Amino acid sequence: MSETPPENPDFDEMTRDIAEVPAVEVIVTVAVNLMSAAAVKLGLSEEGEKYKDLDEARKLITALAGLLDASTTEISSFHAAPLRDGLKSLQLAFREASLVPDDPGHGPGEKYTGPVYG
């Protein structure tokens, strides 16, 4: 007998589940998802050029930078430092992938991070 998903999800159970997750985990999970999506849109996945879309990557990197800027003091440097490193790597990859690179300070997310240099 196979289980089929219920037609009506149990929202009370879903609410209880999310209520048990610490805010730091939610923030870090969202940040990692933004990083992963940005990497794919930069063409850094196995399929490379197939999913490359620099306009979409710019939006994702800017959202990530805004999230980290707003939450760094809340999630501690233990969590924030590797996320900031990943953000910088994405910003540099964006600059490298651009045919006409943005001026320092005008790239994706740099209004939150300041200019990014290699």
Side-chain angles (χ1 to χ4, degrees):
M1 184 162 131
S2 67
E3 287 186 36
T4 58
E7 289 182 32
N8 297 317
D10 185 352
F11 291 110
D12 290 336
E13 185 176 329
M14 291 168 60
T15 300
R16 277 192 305 276
D17 289 345
I18 197 69
E20 295 171 8
V21 179
V24 171
E25 279 189 46
V26 173
I27 293 166
V28 170
T29 299
V30 170
V32 169
N33 285 328
L34 287 168
M35 291 175 80
S36 298
V40 169
K41 295 297 184 176
L42 284 169
L44 302 176
S45 68
E46 286 183 20
E47 307 234 2
E49 295 294 316
K50 182 177 178 181
Y51 300 110
K52 188 173 183 178
D53 184 336
L54 295 183
D55 184 52
E56 291 289 302
R58 178 184 294 277
K59 292 171 188 171
L60 292 162
I61 294 168
T62 299
L64 174 62
L67 174 65
L68 294 181
D69 183 56
S71 63
T72 296
T73 58
E74 304 297 327
I75 63 174
S76 81
S77 61
F78 175 78
H79 295 288
L83 294 173
R84 282 193 304 265
D85 290 344
L87 170 60
K88 182 178 180 181
S89 295
L90 290 170
Q91 289 170 311
L92 291 171
F94 183 92
R95 186 175 308 274
E96 191 174 299
S98 298
L99 294 176
V100 180
D102 297 314
D103 292 330
H106 297 282
E110 290 184 8
K111 70 180 178 181
Y112 300 108
T113 63
V116 175
Y117 301 99

